[in-house]
Amino acid sequence: MRLLGRLLLAAFALILAIPAGALTLAAGVLLDPSFRETLGRLGLVGLLAGLSDLAQGLPPDMAAMAVILFAQALGLLLILPPTLAALVGETLRLRSPVWYGGATGLSTALLPWLVRGGPPPAAGSAAAGAEARLAAILLAAGAVSGLVYWLIAGRSVGTRAPDRGADAF
């Protein structure tokens, strides 16, 4: 019964931690000056026009595939790191906020570099600067996600309920 309670608490904590990471990622992208400038130049109308132009030039199944790939990438960034940190933390009975925030933040920040598999952009280039800013935003998003998980479920990992003995019945 205790295992079922831990599983439910962990699932509830992940359900709240993942949107917290997503909101932090969105806020980081909107607050970063260069990303904000790019979004300002595009604007919502430009984004919608670009999507309709993209959809007109692509068959419907390709446009749907592009949306699915984008959703998978966001899922990989926002769901996988806190879930892995929670699994390892629950298994090893770790209760440290440093573990949950640090492991989730670090794995979220490193994930794009690990998935890319190619060489990094040249140092000092605009792409390297943008990639470093994005890594910092991802680190913050992952850390927030991990800390929200810790606040809900991670603090009580490995603690035992008080033994009631024979008086409980």
Side-chain angles (χ1 to χ4, degrees):
M1 191 64 161
R2 181 165 163 73
L3 177 65
L4 181 62
R6 281 303 307 166
L7 287 174
L8 289 174
L9 183 62
F12 178 69
L14 282 172
I15 287 172
L16 294 179
I18 292 167
L23 287 173
T24 305
L25 179 64
V29 168
L30 291 175
L31 292 175
D32 183 74
S34 63
F35 289 127
R36 187 176 56 224
E37 181 182 329
T38 302
L39 287 175
R41 275 188 268 151
L42 286 177
L44 187 57
V45 175
L47 179 64
L48 293 176
L51 288 176
S52 67
D53 289 344
L54 180 67
Q56 286 176 357
L58 291 175
D61 57 338
M62 292 296 288
M65 185 60 81
V67 170
I68 289 171
L69 288 174
F70 182 70
Q72 282 179 336
L74 278 179
L76 183 71
L77 281 174
L78 297 171
I79 297 171
L80 184 66
T83 303
L84 286 177
L87 284 172
V88 171
E90 292 283 337
T91 303
L92 299 177
R93 297 178 182 240
L94 301 172
R95 287 192 275 177
S96 172
V98 174
W99 163 255
Y100 289 102
T104 306
L106 200 60
S107 60
T108 303
L110 290 177
L111 204 54
W113 284 330
L114 294 173
V115 171
R116 176 181 58 209
S125 68
E131 192 171 271
R133 285 191 308 276
L134 182 62
I137 292 170
L138 289 174
L139 178 75
V144 166
S145 180
L147 290 174
V148 167
Y149 179 86
W150 173 78
L151 283 171
I152 297 168
R155 294 184 300 167
S156 62
V157 172
T159 58
R160 300 189 68 131
D163 187 24
R164 297 181 199 179
D167 297 337
F169 298 103

